Amino acid sequence: MALIPFDDRDGHIWLDGKMLPWRDAKVHVLTHGLHYGSCIFEGQRVYNGKIFKLEEHTARLFASAEVMGFQIPFTQTQINDASRQVAEAQGFADAYMRPVAWRGSEQMSVSAQQSKIHVAIGVWQWPSMFDPAVKERGIKLDIARWRRPAPDTTPWKAKAAGLYMICTLSKHEAEAKGCQDAMMYDYRGLVAEATGANIFFVKDGKLFTPYPDCFLDGITRKTVIDLARHRQVEVVEKYIQSSDVGDFEECFLTGSAAEVSPVGEIGAWKFKVGNLTRTLMDDYSNIVRGKAAN
Ligand code: PMP
């Protein structure tokens, strides 16, 4: 499939308070965010023209900004309004939306106290993170050689661009091996998450997921925990060792982009796309479209 580059599309992007023609939403090459990773972002989906959990995503953008020492020159209400405005301008019923904030070009050194903070919001069509046919059978995960870093080595609570360096490396290595994604252990060797999604396991009708104590506690993760509890499914947050993984029956990933994606294999471990995974996939696709679970 031919790639349509992201800098050469039609429509509009919101940048620093203005709706700009898509191709004019540019930054200079000498930008702190590009050189030093001083950049944070969000990722949220539009379903039937409505942004799912918009306020939560905007609140997390501002929380990430605070961790990174950014003063975003807009209020959360202004960013919520701008997000709706971009979604409406693009006019997609279903889409993926990317708010991003970064330090500008005023200073080009590690210290950038005077740099201005910029904010942009773009939206595009991205029907599924994984090929739907592969997803139906369960995706294949590699085991990443990179680990989620210790909480005192990185601002892990922020959804910050710099934290994705090891995610892209892990995902590229996984794809080179014919996998769709990779499972990452943390600095202690405990199961953490995938490269852009949280991970869940099923055993004996119960749901298990790692404590998010060094990686993103996803908005979808919390939604899926609520959906499961609503069905009286017991949800256990615990430290998951690699030696536990082989005992699980089902596995899936959760994320705003990934939604609920069944996992068929992690390295040599195999999982079935079972009833609880399918139920939660359905419940999630209902709730994002404003429908109650069946
Ligand atoms: N972990 C990582 C590394 C992610 O990039 C994402 C996607 N934002 C998630 C987990 C899931 O977060 P959410 O459900 O809030 O999209």
Side-chain angles (χ1 to χ4, degrees):
M1 207 174 66
L3 290 177
I4 309 165
F6 276 86
D7 56 358
D8 190 16
R9 295 183 176 207
D10 296 328
H12 289 85
I13 287 180
W14 185 93
L15 174 60
D16 292 338
K18 294 195 192 85
M19 288 290 271
L20 295 184
W22 189 285
R23 294 173 184 80
D24 297 345
K26 293 181 178 168
V27 291
H28 195 270
V29 289
L30 299 180
T31 292
H32 201 272
L34 179 63
H35 292 243
Y36 298 98
S38 50
C39 174
I40 55 161
F41 65 97
E42 266 308 312
Q44 52 229 28
R45 278 190 184 271
V46 182
Y47 296 96
N48 294 339
K50 199 168 172 295
I51 306 160
F52 184 61
K53 305 245 169 184
L54 170 62
E55 287 77 9
E56 281 92 327
H57 283 281
T58 303
R60 188 169 68 186
L61 183 76
F62 278 71
S64 297
E66 197 175 332
V67 172
M68 298 286 281
F70 289 13
Q71 281 279 344
I72 293 193
F74 299 95
T75 63
Q76 293 197 33
T77 306
Q78 285 172 317
I79 296 297
N80 287 332
D81 290 345
S83 304
R84 291 191 200 98
Q85 202 189 333
V86 189
E88 205 177 327
Q90 288 309 98
F92 302 131
D94 293 343
Y96 178 79
M97 176 174 281
R98 169 59 53 81
V100 56
W102 66 96
R103 284 200 173 92
S105 299
E106 287 75 14
Q107 288 168 288
M108 281 301 291
S109 59
V110 172
S111 173
Q113 309 268 12
Q114 313 299 321
S115 291
K116 286 200 187 124
I117 303 301
H118 298 272
V119 188
I121 309 169
V123 63
W124 60 88
Q125 284 178 303
W126 189 15
S128 178
M129 189 178 200
F130 302 108
D131 178 323
V134 179
K135 190 170 149 181
E136 181 59 33
R137 295 193 299 271
I139 59 167
K140 263 165 75 172
L141 303 187
D142 184 26
I143 297 170
R145 66 190 172 91
W146 300 99
R147 292 177 174 212
R148 301 308 309 174
D152 59 352
T153 62
T154 193
W156 63 277
K157 277 196 180 169
K159 192 165 163 58
L163 297 174
Y164 285 83
M165 199 170 64
I166 53 174
C167 299
T168 297
L169 290 174
S170 302
K171 185 124 172 167
H172 283 185
E173 287 178 21
E175 287 173 345
K177 294 180 196 165
C179 297
Q180 283 72 44
D181 204 339
M183 180 183 81
M184 304 180 83
Y185 290 121
D186 71 11
Y187 64 103
R188 296 161 291 197
L190 299 169
V191 173
E193 58 168 352
T195 64
N198 292 117
I199 195 161
F200 283 84
F201 297 95
V202 176
K203 193 183 161 197
D204 299 332
K206 288 187 211 164
L207 211 49
F208 297 86
T209 193
Y211 282 123
D213 64 0
C214 63
F215 57 86
L216 205 67
D217 181 5
I219 291 170
T220 320
R221 178 184 182 277
K222 287 181 261 198
T223 304
V224 166
I225 289 175
D226 287 347
L227 288 169
R229 290 194 171 138
H230 188 71
R231 287 195 174 270
Q232 267 74 53
V233 171
E234 192 180 330
V235 183
V236 185
E237 289 182 81
K238 61 179 283 221
Y239 291 121
I240 298 177
Q241 318 273 347
S242 62
S243 56
D244 298 333
V245 177
D247 294 336
F248 294 120
E249 297 150 12
E250 301 176 32
C251 174
F252 59 86
L253 304 183
T254 63
S256 302
E259 301 172 295
V260 176
S261 292
V263 173
E265 295 175 37
I266 307 176
W269 293 302
K270 303 250 187 300
F271 306 92
K272 62 175 191 217
V273 183
N275 287 338
L276 188 51
T277 300
R278 287 197 193 281
T279 302
L280 292 169
M281 273 173 94
D282 289 348
D283 284 357
Y284 189 73
S285 66
N286 283 331
I287 201 171
V288 295
R289 293 178 187 280
K291 294 185 227 157
N294 293 315

